[in-house]
Amino acid sequence: MLIDKLDDEDFEPSVVDNFINDAQRDIFSEYTLPFTEKIFIGSLPASTTMFEFPSDVSTLQAMIVTDGEGRSLDIKNNFMSFSEFNKHYPAPGNNEAGILNKWTLYGGKMIASRPIPADCTLTIYYNKVPKTLTSDTDVPEVPDEFEEALVLGAFYRVQLREGDSDEALLTKSEYQRKIEQMVERLGFRMNAGPIRMKNRQVGR
């Protein structure tokens, strides 16, 4: 995608690929936009305390536990760091069963503070980590109409790498303008403005 901007035909393609991936990750980590969002729905079997967690979660928006009677609870804010969780719940499986409440993450697993009493459904709304582009046939997850943002995001990094700081500042300014256009176009919901991603409450 940068062939028309680079004068050096021998420039290492892998470096360009890495910078394109960096630009896409920046967008996904900074903004909540339709193409950065994902929904996961999974089953939570009764009497268990450990569940597989989606591997591509960047930032949680909501985590809804629904029991067999249709009662729902958002437990996103009940997350605890593993060290703190382990102090209070060193053996979750030995605790009396109850609705999923306090939880943590370890090794890609979600661990509940106690066994759940009956089968439940877990629905997770989250900002995802984009797939890494590894070949020429891979398609970025940024919409086609805004792929120029990825090109500019990669190009200013190339310029910085080559020592062209002044040119990089100009390119970065254009990159940021493209990002602002994208957010203005895609970042609004009904009765709400664009949402910037600032604090990652739960990372991978």
Side-chain angles (χ1 to χ4, degrees), residues 18 27 30 36 42-43 55-56 64 89 100 109 130 140 149:
N18 288 338
I27 293 170
E30 291 295 328
T36 72
S43 298
S55 61
D56 60 348
I64 311 298
Y89 310 105
L100 200 160
K109 305 288 185 181

Side-chain angles (χ1 to χ4, degrees), residues 109-124:
K109 305 288 185 181
M110 174 184 175
I111 306 173
S113 61
R114 58 192 180 186
I116 60 175
D119 292 350
C120 293
T121 298
L122 178 65
T123 304
I124 306 177

Side-chain angles (χ1 to χ4, degrees), residues 164-180:
D164 299 327
S165 299
D166 291 340
E167 293 296 323
L169 287 175
L170 292 174
T171 303
K172 187 174 183 179
S173 178
E174 180 64 12
Y175 163 69
Q176 292 171 333
R177 187 179 70 83
K178 288 289 185 182
I179 295 295
E180 289 171 1

Side-chain angles (χ1 to χ4, degrees), residues 67-146:
D67 65 19
E69 298 181 8
R71 294 173 297 192
S72 297
L73 176 68
D74 188 345
I75 65 167
K76 185 195 77 170
N77 293 329
N78 295 345
F79 171 81
M80 300 176 67
S81 67
F82 175 73
S83 59
E84 191 67 18
F85 180 92
N86 200 43
K87 289 178 184 177
H88 291 85
Y89 310 105
N94 294 336
N95 295 330
E96 183 179 353
I99 186 68
L100 200 160
N101 189 7
K102 299 297 183 180
W103 61 280
T104 192
L105 289 175
Y106 192 83
K109 305 288 185 181
M110 174 184 175
I111 306 173
S113 61
R114 58 192 180 186
I116 60 175
D119 292 350
C120 293
T121 298
L122 178 65
T123 304
I124 306 177
Y125 300 86
Y126 63 96
N127 222 50
K128 64 182 178 179
V129 177
K131 294 179 180 178
T132 300
L133 307 175
T134 58
S135 69
D136 293 339
T137 58
D138 288 343
V139 179
E141 295 183 66
V142 172
D144 292 347
E145 61 185 307
F146 296 110

Side-chain angles (χ1 to χ4, degrees), residues 11 155-168:
F11 195 88
F155 188 40
Y156 91 76
R157 288 173 166 86
V158 170
Q159 291 172 318
L160 284 176
R161 184 178 187 270
E162 296 301 294
D164 299 327
S165 299
D166 291 340
E167 293 296 323

